Amino acid sequence: MKPGPLPQFSLSARESVETELTRKLLDYLLSGVMLPGQRIPPERALAEALGVGRAAIRNSIKALVLLGLLDQRQGDGTYLSRTESDLLPKVIEWGLLLGQHRIADIMELRQHLEVILAALAAERRTPEQLEAMRGHIREMEAAATDYERYVEADIAFHLAVARASGNEVMAGVLSNAQSLLRVWATRVIRAADETETSLAMHLPVLDAIEAQDSEKARAAMTALMERAARRLRRSLPQPAAG
């Protein structure tokens, strides 16, 4: 099946061309004219249709590849990813990699949210919830260099902490961001090419929650979030010099 006709674009000056172009490409990819696993039009065709340079197209495609929305296959083209049904809308909703200011806002939101959740979990967790957290840490240890398995256990740990906070609203915000967390964690782990240091940063969080020490839990999660944010920033493509 061939993709549908390319939309006509009118790029404004309010956002950078690449940022708005990425948004327009997302609209096209999610409009229903393409199916998961289908190859997108080549860069040349996209550039001609949009009236922009191929370099801008290439950078927008890279951003969507980093999001996990597109899959680049060496020598075979770029395809719309075959992903779980909720990945696309949730990642788009959070807007990761669609603008440097938005990235900073999302990082700040996650850092503050997870620190508060960890402190509350230390105060309110039940023995059953603590055991669930221990189980996720054991799974992270067992995953070792199986990065996909590690990331899933990592996300499960953070969601278990959120549930143990007893605050359903804040826990719900984090739960709704699972797709974002998966993209974030996968990118950080693959960039580091190891899991040992990530695991070591999670252990003090678990210890503090076990000890029901909210201040230590807050400090441990702050250190974990700050380190993850630094590693994510280093892994992101830097804006081109103007």
Side-chain angles (χ1 to χ4, degrees):
M1 175 181 176
K2 292 183 178 180
L6 290 170
Q8 296 298 312
F9 293 98
S10 175
L11 301 179
S12 72
R14 291 193 300 274
E15 295 183 288
S16 73
V17 171
E18 289 181 7
T19 298
E20 188 173 355
L21 174 58
T22 303
R23 295 181 191 279
K24 297 293 185 180
L25 281 176
L26 285 170
D27 289 341
Y28 170 61
L29 294 173
L30 301 178
S31 66
V33 299
M34 295 193 63
L35 299 175
Q38 187 173 0
R39 185 165 60 182
I40 70 171
E43 288 179 6
R44 183 185 299 277
L46 289 170
E48 290 176 356
L50 303 178
V52 297
R54 291 182 67 179
I57 291 289
R58 191 173 299 116
N59 287 337
S60 291
I61 288 175
K62 285 180 180 178
L64 298 183
V65 169
L66 295 177
L67 278 171
L69 302 179
L70 294 177
D71 177 23
Q72 283 187 324
R73 303 175 189 176
Q74 190 68 31
D76 189 31
T78 303
Y79 292 76
L80 185 62
S81 294
R82 296 182 182 275
T83 60
E84 62 196 59
S85 60
D86 70 339
L87 176 58
L88 298 182
K90 287 184 178 176
V91 174
I92 302 313
E93 179 184 347
W94 285 89
L96 182 64
L97 302 182
L98 300 187
Q100 293 298 320
H101 293 301
R102 185 162 296 185
I103 296 170
D105 288 347
I106 291 170
M107 288 181 179
E108 186 175 54
L109 171 64
R110 184 188 174 192
Q111 285 178 262
H112 286 292
L113 181 63
E114 294 233 35
V115 167
I116 294 171
L117 288 170
L120 290 175
E123 296 174 1
R124 301 172 179 175
R125 59 85 177 162
T126 66
E128 294 76 17
Q129 289 169 333
L130 179 63
E131 184 53 37
M133 292 177 219
R134 290 193 187 113
H136 298 315
I137 291 292
R138 289 194 293 269
E139 176 67 6
M140 291 164 69
E141 291 173 334
T145 57
D146 184 341
Y147 297 153
E148 183 175 349
R149 180 182 175 187
Y150 182 90
V151 167
E152 291 305 315
D154 185 348
I155 294 169
F157 173 78
H158 286 273
L159 294 180
V161 171
R163 286 190 293 271
S165 74
N167 188 306
E168 294 184 3
V169 174
M170 286 193 292
V173 171
L174 195 67
S175 179
N176 287 336
Q178 286 183 61
S179 298
L180 169 63
L181 299 182
R182 186 171 291 104
V183 172
W184 179 329
T186 299
R187 180 153 188 82
V188 168
I189 291 299
R190 291 196 178 280
D193 199 27
E194 54 88 15
T195 60
E196 289 86 351
T197 53
S198 171
L199 177 61
M201 295 295 292
H202 284 76
L203 296 179
V205 177
L206 177 63
D207 291 343
I209 292 174
E210 181 174 6
Q212 296 188 296
D213 189 325
S214 60
E215 287 307 309
K216 284 187 177 179
R218 184 184 298 273
M221 186 62 84
T222 296
L224 173 58
M225 288 293 100
E226 288 180 348
R227 176 182 174 279
R230 286 195 302 271
R231 294 179 74 174
L232 180 61
R233 288 190 193 98
R234 287 198 299 267
S235 76
L236 295 176
Q238 297 303 306

